Amino acid sequence: MSCPHVSGIVGLLKALHPEWSPAAIKSAIMTSATISDNTMNLILDGGSPIFAPATPFIYGSGHIHPTSAIDPGLVYNLSPNDYFEFLCASGYKEKNIEYSPRKISSALLLKAENVGRPGVYKVRVRRPKGVKVSMKPIRKIGEEKRFELTMTGAVAEGQIGYGTLIWTDGKHFVKSPIVVYFGFLNPFC
């Protein structure tokens, strides 16, 4: 049932913000989602024998919050070229976008746009254990800037570390999960 709900929210956002790109709409929905359930507790992993707190692999961005998506503050307004650059920086080759596991990058470029009132956005990071994350603030409405998310450090081999990147101006909370994995992960499995 998520498809008709998300489709309806996309239609609502497009009607309210006809200038927004599909990427901006997707970003508004994903970054305004919450990882709390309807009782305001963390979403649990129903597939876990002990109903442990879920991870981004289970809940994705979380539960959609349509009211927050209408006024998200910031959006990641990515173009097809941004995705291509990400794939190349992640070890994929330009020719046929083939995977090459030899190239590893510890930095990710983000392009964010302030679609709300003028203000200063500061970044808060709930970092994965053993990983340092650095970012810088965004200013001005309608201004689009690129930022480099840099991660240094490591998690134990075969382990996954979870964190969250949160941009906030005090009213809006634009959330993106951070997942760090050390070891071989076949992207085609």
Side-chain angles (χ1 to χ4, degrees):
M1 285 304 300
S2 64
C3 183
H5 289 99
V6 173
S7 297
I9 294 167
V10 167
L12 170 69
L13 292 175
K14 191 64 178 172
L16 293 172
H17 303 288
E19 73 283 3
W20 283 10
S21 69
I25 291 172
K26 176 182 174 184
S27 173
I29 292 170
M30 292 176 69
T31 61
S32 64
T34 178
I35 61 170
S36 300
D37 63 17
N38 62 345
T39 65
M40 300 311 294
N41 292 307
L42 289 177
I43 296 172
L44 300 177
D45 180 357
S48 156
I50 59 170
F51 286 89
T55 69
F57 288 124
I58 301 297
Y59 57 70
S61 293
H63 287 291
I64 293 176
H65 196 270
T67 308
S68 294
I70 291 170
D71 180 20
L74 296 177
V75 294
Y76 298 125
N77 199 6
L78 302 174
S79 69
N81 194 52
D82 293 315
Y83 288 104
F84 184 73
E85 288 176 11
F86 170 75
L87 290 172
C88 289
S90 298
Y92 289 82
K93 296 178 183 176
E94 187 173 345
K95 180 184 175 193
N96 299 326
I97 309 292
E98 295 175 312
Y99 182 71
S100 171
R102 289 173 282 208
K103 186 174 180 184
I104 299 170
S105 175
S106 63
L108 173 66
L109 290 178
L110 298 174
K111 183 168 67 171
E113 181 178 354
N114 184 347
V115 294
R117 295 180 183 258
V120 175
Y121 280 81
K122 295 183 179 178
V123 70
R124 289 189 347 212
V125 178
R126 292 185 197 129
R127 60 188 180 91
K129 185 178 179 181
V131 177
K132 181 181 176 185
V133 180
S134 61
M135 293 287 291
K136 294 184 181 180
I138 297 175
R139 300 176 191 269
K140 298 184 183 173
I141 188 169
E143 184 175 308
E144 189 174 274
K145 288 187 175 180
R146 287 181 180 256
F147 296 86
E148 185 173 273
L149 171 68
T150 304
M151 294 178 280
T152 56
V155 294
E157 184 168 352
Q159 296 295 309
I160 301 172
Y162 301 101
T164 309
L165 171 73
I166 305 170
W167 291 102
T168 184
D169 64 353
K171 177 183 177 189
H172 304 97
F173 296 87
V174 181
K175 301 170 292 293
S176 300
I178 298 173
V179 179
V180 179
Y181 176 77
F182 177 71
F184 180 74
L185 182 63
N186 185 340
F188 300 109
C189 289

